[in-house]
Amino acid sequence: MAPAPRADNRLPLVLDAAARLFAEKGYGATSMRDIAGAVGMLPGSLYYHFASKEELLVAVYEEGVRRIKAALAPALAQPGDPWQRLENACAAHLAGLLEGSDYGQVVIRVRPDDAPDVAPRLVALRDEYEHAFSRAIHDLPLPPRTDRRALRLMLLGALNWSQTWYRPGKDSPQALARRFVRLLRDPMEP
Amino acid sequence: MAPAPRADNRLPLVLDAAARLFAEKGYGATSMRDIAGAVGMLPGSLYYHFASKEELLVAVYEEGVRRIKAALAPALAQPGDPWQRLENACAAHLAGLLEGSDYGQVVIRVRPDDAPDVAPRLVALRDEYEHAFSRAIHDLPLPPRTDRRALRLMLLGALNWSQTWYRPGKDSPQALARRFVRLLRDPMEP
Amino acid sequence: MAPAPRADNRLPLVLDAAARLFAEKGYGATSMRDIAGAVGMLPGSLYYHFASKEELLVAVYEEGVRRIKAALAPALAQPGDPWQRLENACAAHLAGLLEGSDYGQVVIRVRPDDAPDVAPRLVALRDEYEHAFSRAIHDLPLPPRTDRRALRLMLLGALNWSQTWYRPGKDSPQALARRFVRLLRDPMEP
Amino acid sequence: MAPAPRADNRLPLVLDAAARLFAEKGYGATSMRDIAGAVGMLPGSLYYHFASKEELLVAVYEEGVRRIKAALAPALAQPGDPWQRLENACAAHLAGLLEGSDYGQVVIRVRPDDAPDVAPRLVALRDEYEHAFSRAIHDLPLPPRTDRRALRLMLLGALNWSQTWYRPGKDSPQALARRFVRLLRDPMEP
DNA sequence: CATGAATGAGTATTCATTCAT
DNA sequence: GATGAATGAATACTCATTCAT
């Protein structure tokens, strides 16, 4: 029996594999066997690191939200035109969602109620990154009585749903972000 | 007048049950046992009506798209202001998506690749109802060079993603539709 | 593939196998695989007949109590000397416990809390057969103020514990019953 | 004077935890993880102290028999009425069985064949404490030809089975012992 | 039209145990 | 003395599906 190449910390590998598979196939369609196989472990061995499949999902979600927020942060920190800031934030979010880290994709793709026992924790994590957008929208110079909540829901919905139709190579996340924000900003009367 | 349903035909009941369960719990989380139980049948008996779970999903999807298109039709047929027409179409779509027929909800909730063998057919069905929106958007009086495709994707994404955050009783589909369309239409400069 | 010899009702076979294995090895040490293997089924197939391992145990217990009560009935129905009636009841119980039906042995051997979810039902079943002894002891002509409850507990304990030390071939159930009852009945002063 | 326990020796803690858990939940239902967790160790660490779960059980059993015999000794050493001696021995045994040391409870609760590899050693240990009762019964002034072996089996069975029905707070071990012995000793004719 | 009985492959999870460090 | 990481085998259970009746 060949001694396993004891890389000393295979937990991150497990997390990476789970993130990749959850992002690709979804939570329900990914088995613990799949994940274990992807890192050359036996299924039972995963339980040394995570108490359950749901806890493993939480760990991926947490890392996903951390990365989304990290990607958003530089865009939101920029001084200058608030519309430009929003566009950059959208571009960063789309980039993560569509082409970037598997972790971020999981946060958008996997519905909290796929893992009922931890659903509230997943929802709370989602709320965290949405909060970042609230602030960017709050800073926008808008006509009085504009419904900023509806604006946030609309924009985030448009961004997140793009996972459904996006095919890499056609539009870039940056280009999409620009188009979406322009549609909101520019007057529509011909 | 609808043709009188043959009294001994339980197929529509099966379809209804499947639609309800797929809409509530998702495709993967619904078992053939669940569906059979909901109509007082045994699991094996479903296979008299449908060759597989995936075919059953296709049938629900087909009916779902038919209903979405039927709900959209009157709104789209209205003469007069194209923006108002679009708003009405959005309201109709949201109503079906959020509170209306289980069938319509399935079309939005269930991802085609949850049923890989029939995924292309599901995608084609989705395209059908999206096409209705294309026309409504085409009719809009817009400044030249407006990206109508992006507009459609943005609007549909915002609408469809609402299944994620919508809680009945707070906002009505009609009110949401109005707000979303207004955000697009009205100038954003304060 | 050879067509399974469709004996038309294999459920009783499953029950028999479960009873035998539970009696021999105990509940915890018997796996659903063991039981399925004993009747030439696949493990999953058992779940067509029983919703869970615990429900299977309940079914065995129910049959076990039925048999114990059936074995007790003729002894208890006998007219004549109540001491003789008690002795016969003990003999019948011991016979079932030690050499008779696997079902009866399960009732004594398997502790209700081995199957926590159904433990109350198992306890209720145990109470049923103990009740038969209560009546036999009630009929005994005893000195006033004799503690009949203690007598029942003592006698039943002595009988049931015999599963622990009994080796077939040495003492017969009948002989044991006679000896136990005599020890209670005959005066101990030399 | 007991030799001062070396302060850094956690083996007795492990033994205590195992005894408690085996007594509470049974041998099969207690995992090495449970035991390790109860003393703040990791499962693997137990194997420094015990070669296997079965050896751990043997150690608990040995301590259990030692304690049972120690509890019995003073009662058996008493001069005077042999019936009173027996009653005291029963009371001591019941006290250990029902409310006293976890170790003693394990000896009664855990069946030797739950741990097949060490079963003979467990049986031998059980025999040790039963031997103490043999002597007490041998001393009883009984009519000739009384079956003393049956008397021992009956009494011990009654005592040991009490673990099944005993609920603390209702009867005290002492009271039970008195009642059981009285039932044997006093004439039953009214 | 539908059932009753079963299959076979799969699911997440648990367990006693090992061993290099 | 004990840990961290893993193994390998087992466990109860679920699922879509089949097919003779």
Side-chain angles (χ1 to χ4, degrees):
Chain A
M1 242 149 277
R6 206 58 70 91
D8 215 26
N9 224 5
R10 290 163 76 192
L11 186 144
L13 294 181
V14 172
L15 221 53
D16 284 355
R20 181 168 51 78
L21 290 165
F22 290 161
E24 267 173 28
K25 319 201 297 172
Y27 176 76
T30 300
S31 72
M32 291 298 264
R33 256 217 268 287
D34 293 338
I35 298 168
V39 295
M41 273 184 179
L42 293 177
S45 306
L46 297 176
Y47 290 82
Y48 176 77
H49 300 286
F50 300 96
S52 68
K53 192 185 174 191
E54 303 209 330
E55 288 296 338
L56 174 48
L57 175 61
V58 171
V60 172
Y61 237 79
E62 277 168 348
E63 180 61 21
V65 168
R66 196 175 308 130
R67 296 200 185 184
I68 290 175
K69 292 200 306 192
L72 250 29
L76 295 171
Q78 263 177 299
D81 178 16
W83 281 103
Q84 185 60 46
R85 203 148 58 223
L86 181 65
E87 184 188 313
N88 291 344
C90 289
H93 189 42
L94 276 180
L97 214 67
L98 301 173
E99 301 186 323
S101 150
D102 297 320
Y103 290 90
Q105 285 175 246
V106 171
V107 177
I108 307 305
R109 157 139 206 191
V110 178
R111 305 174 60 117
D113 51 325
D114 281 359
D117 291 355
V118 297
R121 290 158 69 190
L122 302 184
V123 170
L125 285 164
R126 277 197 174 184
D127 286 347
E128 264 187 58
Y129 90 80
E130 298 202 2
H131 185 64
F133 274 91
S134 295
R135 289 230 324 278
I137 284 172
H138 175 268
D139 290 347
L140 251 28
L142 293 174
R145 287 199 270 180
T146 304
D147 185 338
R148 284 183 154 87
R149 178 172 166 269
L151 180 52
R152 190 191 81 231
L153 291 170
M154 182 168 180
L155 191 53
L156 271 173
L159 298 181
N160 291 343
W161 191 259
S162 69
Q163 252 190 6
T164 292
W165 49 261
Y166 180 78
R167 293 294 166 268
K170 299 196 61 173
D171 313 273
S172 75
Q174 286 75 8
L176 282 172
R178 162 164 305 148
R179 275 181 224 147
F180 283 174
V181 172
R182 286 265 163 94
L183 284 169
L184 283 169
R185 183 185 192 179
D186 294 350
M188 281 284 171
E189 306 305 327
Chain B
M1 255 213 224
R6 272 177 286 152
D8 60 343
N9 192 359
R10 292 163 74 193
L11 187 143
L13 293 180
V14 172
L15 223 52
D16 283 355
R20 181 167 52 79
L21 290 165
F22 289 161
E24 266 172 29
K25 319 199 296 173
Y27 176 76
T30 300
S31 72
M32 291 297 263
R33 255 213 270 291
D34 293 337
I35 298 168
V39 295
M41 274 182 180
L42 293 180
S45 309
L46 296 176
Y47 290 82
Y48 179 82
H49 300 287
F50 298 96
S52 70
K53 193 186 175 190
E54 303 208 329
E55 288 297 337
L56 174 47
L57 175 60
V58 172
V60 171
Y61 237 80
E62 279 169 345
E63 178 63 19
V65 168
R66 195 173 310 129
R67 295 199 186 186
I68 290 175
K69 291 199 306 191
L72 249 31
L76 295 172
Q78 263 178 297
D81 178 16
W83 280 102
Q84 186 60 45
R85 202 148 59 222
L86 180 65
E87 184 187 312
N88 291 344
C90 289
H93 189 43
L94 275 179
L97 214 65
L98 302 174
E99 301 186 324
S101 150
D102 297 320
Y103 290 90
Q105 284 174 247
V106 171
V107 177
I108 307 305
R109 158 140 205 188
V110 178
R111 303 174 61 116
D113 52 326
D114 282 357
D117 292 355
V118 297
R121 290 158 70 191
L122 302 183
V123 171
L125 284 163
R126 277 197 175 184
D127 287 347
E128 266 187 56
Y129 89 79
E130 298 202 3
H131 184 64
F133 274 90
S134 296
R135 288 229 323 278
I137 284 171
H138 176 267
D139 291 347
L140 252 27
L142 293 173
R145 285 201 270 179
T146 303
D147 184 337
R148 284 183 155 84
R149 177 173 166 269
L151 181 52
R152 190 191 80 231
L153 291 171
M154 182 168 181
L155 192 52
L156 271 173
L159 298 181
N160 291 343
W161 190 260
S162 68
Q163 252 190 7
T164 292
W165 49 262
Y166 179 76
R167 294 292 165 268
K170 298 197 61 172
D171 314 273
S172 73
Q174 288 76 7
L176 283 173
R178 161 167 306 149
R179 276 182 223 147
F180 282 175
V181 172
R182 287 263 164 94
L183 284 169
L184 283 170
R185 182 184 192 181
D186 294 349
M188 281 285 170
E189 305 303 329
Chain C
M1 243 150 274
R6 206 58 72 90
D8 215 23
N9 223 4
R10 289 163 77 193
L11 185 144
L13 294 181
V14 172
L15 221 54
D16 283 355
R20 181 166 53 77
L21 290 165
F22 289 162
E24 266 172 28
K25 320 200 297 174
Y27 176 76
T30 301
S31 72
M32 291 300 262
R33 256 218 267 288
D34 293 338
I35 298 168
V39 296
M41 273 182 177
L42 294 177
S45 306
L46 297 177
Y47 290 83
Y48 176 76
H49 300 286
F50 299 97
S52 68
K53 193 186 173 190
E54 302 209 332
E55 289 295 338
L56 174 48
L57 175 60
V58 171
V60 171
Y61 237 78
E62 278 169 347
E63 180 62 20
V65 168
R66 198 174 307 129
R67 294 198 186 186
I68 290 176
K69 291 201 307 192
L72 250 29
L76 295 172
Q78 262 178 297
D81 178 17
W83 281 102
Q84 185 59 45
R85 202 148 59 221
L86 181 65
E87 185 188 313
N88 291 345
C90 289
H93 190 43
L94 276 179
L97 215 66
L98 302 174
E99 301 187 322
S101 147
D102 296 320
Y103 289 91
Q105 283 173 246
V106 171
V107 176
I108 307 306
R109 158 140 205 190
V110 178
R111 304 175 61 119
D113 50 324
D114 282 358
D117 291 355
V118 296
R121 290 159 68 189
L122 301 184
V123 170
L125 284 164
R126 277 198 175 182
D127 287 347
E128 265 186 58
Y129 90 80
E130 297 201 4
H131 185 64
F133 273 92
S134 295
R135 288 231 323 277
I137 284 171
H138 176 267
D139 291 346
L140 252 27
L142 294 174
R145 288 200 267 180
T146 304
D147 186 337
R148 283 182 155 88
R149 179 173 165 268
L151 181 52
R152 191 191 81 230
L153 291 171
M154 182 169 182
L155 192 52
L156 271 173
L159 297 181
N160 291 342
W161 191 259
S162 69
Q163 253 190 5
T164 291
W165 48 262
Y166 180 77
R167 293 294 166 268
K170 298 195 61 171
D171 312 274
S172 74
Q174 288 76 8
L176 282 172
R178 162 165 305 147
R179 275 181 223 147
F180 282 175
V181 172
R182 286 266 162 93
L183 284 169
L184 283 170
R185 183 185 191 180
D186 294 350
M188 281 284 170
E189 305 303 327
Chain D
M1 267 312 132
R6 274 177 284 151
D8 60 344
N9 192 358
R10 291 164 75 193
L11 186 143
L13 292 180
V14 172
L15 223 52
D16 283 354
R20 181 167 53 77
L21 290 166
F22 289 162
E24 266 172 29
K25 319 199 297 172
Y27 176 76
T30 300
S31 71
M32 292 297 264
R33 255 213 269 290
D34 293 337
I35 298 168
V39 296
M41 275 182 178
L42 294 180
S45 309
L46 296 177
Y47 290 82
Y48 179 81
H49 300 288
F50 299 96
S52 69
K53 193 187 175 190
E54 303 208 329
E55 289 296 339
L56 175 47
L57 175 61
V58 171
V60 171
Y61 237 80
E62 278 169 346
E63 179 63 20
V65 168
R66 197 175 308 128
R67 294 198 186 186
I68 290 175
K69 292 199 307 191
L72 250 29
L76 295 171
Q78 262 179 299
D81 178 16
W83 281 103
Q84 185 60 45
R85 203 148 59 221
L86 180 65
E87 185 188 311
N88 291 344
C90 289
H93 189 43
L94 276 179
L97 213 66
L98 301 174
E99 302 187 322
S101 149
D102 296 321
Y103 290 91
Q105 284 175 246
V106 171
V107 177
I108 307 306
R109 158 140 205 188
V110 178
R111 304 175 61 118
D113 52 326
D114 282 357
D117 291 354
V118 297
R121 291 159 69 191
L122 302 183
V123 170
L125 284 164
R126 276 197 176 184
D127 287 347
E128 265 186 57
Y129 89 81
E130 297 202 3
H131 185 63
F133 273 92
S134 297
R135 289 229 323 278
I137 284 171
H138 176 266
D139 291 347
L140 251 28
L142 293 174
R145 286 200 269 180
T146 304
D147 186 337
R148 283 181 154 87
R149 178 173 166 268
L151 180 53
R152 189 191 83 232
L153 291 170
M154 182 169 181
L155 192 52
L156 271 173
L159 298 182
N160 290 344
W161 191 259
S162 68
Q163 252 190 7
T164 292
W165 49 261
Y166 179 77
R167 293 292 165 269
K170 297 198 60 172
D171 313 274
S172 74
Q174 288 76 8
L176 283 173
R178 163 165 303 149
R179 274 182 223 148
F180 282 175
V181 171
R182 286 266 163 95
L183 284 169
L184 284 170
R185 184 184 190 182
D186 294 350
M188 280 283 169
E189 304 305 327

